PDB file of all heavy atoms in Angstrom:
ATOM      1  N   PRO A1124     -18.800   1.169   3.604  1.00  0.00           N
ATOM      2  CA  PRO A1124     -18.437   0.390   2.409  1.00  0.00           C
ATOM      3  C   PRO A1124     -17.174   0.948   1.776  1.00  0.00           C
ATOM      4  O   PRO A1124     -16.846   2.129   1.943  1.00  0.00           O
ATOM      5  CB  PRO A1124     -19.658   0.540   1.494  1.00  0.00           C
ATOM      6  CG  PRO A1124     -20.333   1.786   1.959  1.00  0.00           C
ATOM      7  CD  PRO A1124     -20.080   1.873   3.440  1.00  0.00           C
ATOM      8  N   ALA A1125     -16.478   0.108   1.011  1.00  0.00           N
ATOM      9  CA  ALA A1125     -15.219   0.527   0.385  1.00  0.00           C
ATOM     10  C   ALA A1125     -15.415   1.726  -0.525  1.00  0.00           C
ATOM     11  O   ALA A1125     -14.526   2.569  -0.645  1.00  0.00           O
ATOM     12  CB  ALA A1125     -14.618  -0.640  -0.390  1.00  0.00           C
ATOM     13  N   TRP A1126     -16.594   1.834  -1.169  1.00  0.00           N
ATOM     14  CA  TRP A1126     -16.813   2.947  -2.091  1.00  0.00           C
ATOM     15  C   TRP A1126     -16.905   4.291  -1.365  1.00  0.00           C
ATOM     16  O   TRP A1126     -16.799   5.348  -1.993  1.00  0.00           O
ATOM     17  CB  TRP A1126     -18.045   2.725  -2.956  1.00  0.00           C
ATOM     18  CG  TRP A1126     -19.360   2.706  -2.236  1.00  0.00           C
ATOM     19  CD1 TRP A1126     -20.027   1.616  -1.779  1.00  0.00           C
ATOM     20  CD2 TRP A1126     -20.170   3.840  -1.913  1.00  0.00           C
ATOM     21  NE1 TRP A1126     -21.204   1.984  -1.169  1.00  0.00           N
ATOM     22  CE2 TRP A1126     -21.325   3.348  -1.245  1.00  0.00           C
ATOM     23  CE3 TRP A1126     -20.050   5.211  -2.120  1.00  0.00           C
ATOM     24  CZ2 TRP A1126     -22.333   4.188  -0.781  1.00  0.00           C
ATOM     25  CZ3 TRP A1126     -21.054   6.049  -1.648  1.00  0.00           C
ATOM     26  CH2 TRP A1126     -22.185   5.532  -0.996  1.00  0.00           C
ATOM     27  N   VAL A1127     -17.034   4.267  -0.046  1.00  0.00           N
ATOM     28  CA  VAL A1127     -16.992   5.497   0.749  1.00  0.00           C
ATOM     29  C   VAL A1127     -15.575   5.718   1.292  1.00  0.00           C
ATOM     30  O   VAL A1127     -15.022   6.817   1.194  1.00  0.00           O
ATOM     31  CB  VAL A1127     -17.999   5.431   1.910  1.00  0.00           C
ATOM     32  CG1 VAL A1127     -17.815   6.625   2.847  1.00  0.00           C
ATOM     33  CG2 VAL A1127     -19.422   5.392   1.381  1.00  0.00           C
ATOM     34  N   VAL A1128     -14.990   4.673   1.881  1.00  0.00           N
ATOM     35  CA  VAL A1128     -13.705   4.803   2.555  1.00  0.00           C
ATOM     36  C   VAL A1128     -12.574   5.126   1.580  1.00  0.00           C
ATOM     37  O   VAL A1128     -11.801   6.067   1.789  1.00  0.00           O
ATOM     38  CB  VAL A1128     -13.380   3.506   3.321  1.00  0.00           C
ATOM     39  CG1 VAL A1128     -11.966   3.569   3.899  1.00  0.00           C
ATOM     40  CG2 VAL A1128     -14.383   3.285   4.434  1.00  0.00           C
ATOM     41  N   LEU A1129     -12.463   4.351   0.499  1.00  0.00           N
ATOM     42  CA  LEU A1129     -11.291   4.474  -0.362  1.00  0.00           C
ATOM     43  C   LEU A1129     -11.277   5.749  -1.200  1.00  0.00           C
ATOM     44  O   LEU A1129     -10.216   6.382  -1.323  1.00  0.00           O
ATOM     45  CB  LEU A1129     -11.168   3.222  -1.233  1.00  0.00           C
ATOM     46  CG  LEU A1129     -10.922   1.932  -0.425  1.00  0.00           C
ATOM     47  CD1 LEU A1129     -10.801   0.724  -1.334  1.00  0.00           C
ATOM     48  CD2 LEU A1129      -9.684   2.070   0.457  1.00  0.00           C
ATOM     49  N   PRO A1130     -12.413   6.192  -1.787  1.00  0.00           N
ATOM     50  CA  PRO A1130     -12.352   7.493  -2.463  1.00  0.00           C
ATOM     51  C   PRO A1130     -12.039   8.644  -1.506  1.00  0.00           C
ATOM     52  O   PRO A1130     -11.356   9.600  -1.891  1.00  0.00           O
ATOM     53  CB  PRO A1130     -13.757   7.636  -3.069  1.00  0.00           C
ATOM     54  CG  PRO A1130     -14.220   6.235  -3.265  1.00  0.00           C
ATOM     55  CD  PRO A1130     -13.667   5.491  -2.077  1.00  0.00           C
ATOM     56  N   PHE A1131     -12.540   8.557  -0.269  1.00  0.00           N
ATOM     57  CA  PHE A1131     -12.221   9.605   0.698  1.00  0.00           C
ATOM     58  C   PHE A1131     -10.729   9.591   1.031  1.00  0.00           C
ATOM     59  O   PHE A1131     -10.095  10.643   1.145  1.00  0.00           O
ATOM     60  CB  PHE A1131     -13.053   9.416   1.966  1.00  0.00           C
ATOM     61  CG  PHE A1131     -12.845  10.513   2.982  1.00  0.00           C
ATOM     62  CD1 PHE A1131     -13.297  11.796   2.735  1.00  0.00           C
ATOM     63  CD2 PHE A1131     -12.204  10.254   4.177  1.00  0.00           C
ATOM     64  CE1 PHE A1131     -13.103  12.814   3.658  1.00  0.00           C
ATOM     65  CE2 PHE A1131     -12.008  11.262   5.106  1.00  0.00           C
ATOM     66  CZ  PHE A1131     -12.470  12.541   4.848  1.00  0.00           C
ATOM     67  N   TRP A1132     -10.173   8.393   1.189  1.00  0.00           N
ATOM     68  CA  TRP A1132      -8.732   8.276   1.417  1.00  0.00           C
ATOM     69  C   TRP A1132      -7.960   8.888   0.252  1.00  0.00           C
ATOM     70  O   TRP A1132      -6.993   9.646   0.450  1.00  0.00           O
ATOM     71  CB  TRP A1132      -8.354   6.801   1.580  1.00  0.00           C
ATOM     72  CG  TRP A1132      -6.874   6.589   1.653  1.00  0.00           C
ATOM     73  CD1 TRP A1132      -6.076   6.683   2.746  1.00  0.00           C
ATOM     74  CD2 TRP A1132      -6.002   6.280   0.550  1.00  0.00           C
ATOM     75  NE1 TRP A1132      -4.762   6.449   2.402  1.00  0.00           N
ATOM     76  CE2 TRP A1132      -4.700   6.195   1.066  1.00  0.00           C
ATOM     77  CE3 TRP A1132      -6.211   6.055  -0.810  1.00  0.00           C
ATOM     78  CZ2 TRP A1132      -3.593   5.900   0.264  1.00  0.00           C
ATOM     79  CZ3 TRP A1132      -5.114   5.760  -1.613  1.00  0.00           C
ATOM     80  CH2 TRP A1132      -3.835   5.686  -1.085  1.00  0.00           C
ATOM     81  N   ALA A1133      -8.393   8.591  -0.988  1.00  0.00           N
ATOM     82  CA  ALA A1133      -7.715   9.143  -2.162  1.00  0.00           C
ATOM     83  C   ALA A1133      -7.826  10.667  -2.192  1.00  0.00           C
ATOM     84  O   ALA A1133      -6.869  11.364  -2.561  1.00  0.00           O
ATOM     85  CB  ALA A1133      -8.296   8.544  -3.440  1.00  0.00           C
ATOM     86  N   ALA A1134      -8.973  11.195  -1.785  1.00  0.00           N
ATOM     87  CA  ALA A1134      -9.142  12.647  -1.748  1.00  0.00           C
ATOM     88  C   ALA A1134      -8.186  13.283  -0.743  1.00  0.00           C
ATOM     89  O   ALA A1134      -7.623  14.358  -0.994  1.00  0.00           O
ATOM     90  CB  ALA A1134     -10.591  12.994  -1.408  1.00  0.00           C
ATOM     91  N   LEU A1135      -7.978  12.632   0.387  1.00  0.00           N
ATOM     92  CA  LEU A1135      -7.027  13.140   1.371  1.00  0.00           C
ATOM     93  C   LEU A1135      -5.608  13.150   0.811  1.00  0.00           C
ATOM     94  O   LEU A1135      -4.827  14.057   1.070  1.00  0.00           O
ATOM     95  CB  LEU A1135      -7.086  12.294   2.642  1.00  0.00           C
ATOM     96  CG  LEU A1135      -8.366  12.399   3.473  1.00  0.00           C
ATOM     97  CD1 LEU A1135      -8.291  11.458   4.662  1.00  0.00           C
ATOM     98  CD2 LEU A1135      -8.605  13.823   3.941  1.00  0.00           C
ATOM     99  N   GLN A1136      -5.276  12.122   0.029  1.00  0.00           N
ATOM    100  CA  GLN A1136      -3.948  12.084  -0.590  1.00  0.00           C
ATOM    101  C   GLN A1136      -3.785  13.240  -1.582  1.00  0.00           C
ATOM    102  O   GLN A1136      -2.717  13.837  -1.698  1.00  0.00           O
ATOM    103  CB  GLN A1136      -3.728  10.748  -1.313  1.00  0.00           C
ATOM    104  CG  GLN A1136      -3.953   9.513  -0.469  1.00  0.00           C
ATOM    105  CD  GLN A1136      -3.173   9.530   0.819  1.00  0.00           C
ATOM    106  OE1 GLN A1136      -1.943   9.568   0.826  1.00  0.00           O
ATOM    107  NE2 GLN A1136      -3.872   9.501   1.946  1.00  0.00           N
ATOM    108  N   TRP A1137      -4.873  13.533  -2.300  1.00  0.00           N
ATOM    109  CA  TRP A1137      -4.835  14.624  -3.278  1.00  0.00           C
ATOM    110  C   TRP A1137      -4.583  15.958  -2.585  1.00  0.00           C
ATOM    111  O   TRP A1137      -3.763  16.764  -3.031  1.00  0.00           O
ATOM    112  CB  TRP A1137      -6.142  14.650  -4.058  1.00  0.00           C
ATOM    113  CG  TRP A1137      -6.239  15.762  -5.058  1.00  0.00           C
ATOM    114  CD1 TRP A1137      -6.651  17.048  -4.845  1.00  0.00           C
ATOM    115  CD2 TRP A1137      -5.892  15.692  -6.438  1.00  0.00           C
ATOM    116  NE1 TRP A1137      -6.602  17.775  -6.001  1.00  0.00           N
ATOM    117  CE2 TRP A1137      -6.137  16.968  -6.992  1.00  0.00           C
ATOM    118  CE3 TRP A1137      -5.426  14.669  -7.263  1.00  0.00           C
ATOM    119  CZ2 TRP A1137      -5.910  17.249  -8.333  1.00  0.00           C
ATOM    120  CZ3 TRP A1137      -5.197  14.954  -8.591  1.00  0.00           C
ATOM    121  CH2 TRP A1137      -5.434  16.226  -9.115  1.00  0.00           C
ATOM    122  N   VAL A1138      -5.293  16.189  -1.499  1.00  0.00           N
ATOM    123  CA  VAL A1138      -5.122  17.439  -0.755  1.00  0.00           C
ATOM    124  C   VAL A1138      -3.702  17.519  -0.193  1.00  0.00           C
ATOM    125  O   VAL A1138      -3.033  18.559  -0.281  1.00  0.00           O
ATOM    126  CB  VAL A1138      -6.158  17.535   0.380  1.00  0.00           C
ATOM    127  CG1 VAL A1138      -5.866  18.729   1.276  1.00  0.00           C
ATOM    128  CG2 VAL A1138      -7.565  17.634  -0.202  1.00  0.00           C
TER     129      VAL A1138
END
Side-chain angles (χ1 to χ4, degrees):
W1126 66 265
V1127 172
V1128 174
L1129 296 180
F1131 184 69
W1132 173 84
L1135 291 178
Q1136 306 307 299
W1137 178 274
V1138 172

